[in-house]
């Protein structure tokens, strides 16, 4: 006889996300990739860079490329306000990369059963960057696929 796996929420894998606002939408960035969150600072343009790269910043002596998720997703250009932040992501492939977001809201912990990985019916332009929708109470959060966001092909 097969043993049925328990779906006790206490035993489910818990994932943490930093919830950010881009335009009118909320997105989740896996906290495991987040190295730092910094206030908007002077971005030095880099000639002949891809359009979604805004330039580079100096972060404690290290040069970090900064990209606009808005441009990458085909949205309106960034509008820098006092709540605009640069989230420094750290990946094995690309090292440190900064992404500009309109604001940082909170950190949420989601269990795997509260994440819907079926995003096939979403808008084609943005869906390639999203790998699921998280449900945090009544709140829906589009969860970024960091590798797709930072991928140079798109």
């Amino acid at each position: 006889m097969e043993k049925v796996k328990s779906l006790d929420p206490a035993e489910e894998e818990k994932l943490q996300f930093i919830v950010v606002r881009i335009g009118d939408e909320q997105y989740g960035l896996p906290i495991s990739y987040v190295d730092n969150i910094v206030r908007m600072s002077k971005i030095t343009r880099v000639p002949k860079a891809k359009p979604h790269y805004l330039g580079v910043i100096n972060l404690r002596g290290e040069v970090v490329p900064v990209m606009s998720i808005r441009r990458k997703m085909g949205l309106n250009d960034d509008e820098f306000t006092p709540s605009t932040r640069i989230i420094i992501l750290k990946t094995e492939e690309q090292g440190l990369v900064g992404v500009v977001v309109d604001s940082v809201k909170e950190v949420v912990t989601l269990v795997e059963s509260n994440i819907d990985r079926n995003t096939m019916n979403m808008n084609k332009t943005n869906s390639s960057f999203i790998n699921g929708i998280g449900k945090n109470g009544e709140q829906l959060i589009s969860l970024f696929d960091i590798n797709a966001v930072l991928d140079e092909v798109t």
Side-chain angles (χ1 to χ4, degrees):
M1 183 170 199
E2 272 185 55
K3 190 172 183 179
V4 178
K5 193 171 185 178
S6 170
L7 292 178
D8 180 7
E11 294 177 18
E12 281 190 84
E13 183 179 2
K14 293 182 173 136
L15 304 167
Q16 287 192 308
F17 296 89
I18 291 190
V19 179
V20 299
R21 191 178 56 76
I22 299 172
D24 294 333
E25 302 294 324
Q26 294 187 111
Y27 296 91
L29 293 162
I31 204 163
S32 59
Y33 288 100
V34 176
D35 184 69
N36 205 338
I37 300 173
V38 296
R39 292 187 184 276
M40 197 62 203
S41 59
K42 182 180 183 312
I43 298 175
T44 304
R45 297 261 328 127
V46 176
K48 298 184 181 177
K50 295 195 179 212
H52 55 270
Y53 275 97
L54 300 173
V56 295
I57 60 170
N58 181 345
L59 183 66
R60 293 182 294 281
E62 190 167 353
V63 175
V64 178
V66 176
M67 69 176 282
S68 167
I69 288 184
R70 282 173 164 268
R71 285 186 187 175
K72 182 96 177 207
M73 292 172 51
L75 302 173
N76 297 335
D77 260 352
D78 296 282
E79 292 179 25
F80 302 125
T81 67
S83 59
T84 301
R85 297 290 182 265
I86 300 173
I87 298 189
I88 309 298
L89 302 173
K90 187 171 194 164
T91 65
E92 287 183 26
E93 299 83 31
Q94 304 220 350
L96 294 179
V97 178
V99 293
V100 175
V101 299
D102 294 346
S103 66
V104 175
K105 292 188 69 174
E106 62 186 329
V107 174
V108 297
T109 302
L110 300 176
V111 291
E112 196 63 49
S113 63
N114 285 341
I115 297 174
D116 181 4
R117 300 285 182 188
N118 182 11
T119 58
M120 298 302 289
N121 298 330
M122 292 176 52
N123 176 332
K124 186 80 172 145
T125 307
N126 297 339
S127 66
S128 61
F129 303 118
I130 306 299
N131 68 2
I133 304 293
K135 296 175 213 100
N136 184 33
E138 294 297 311
Q139 199 176 37
L140 294 179
I141 304 162
S142 299
L143 305 175
F144 275 124
D145 177 351
I146 296 299
N147 294 321
V149 169
L150 299 180
D151 186 21
E152 284 304 308
V153 176
T154 53

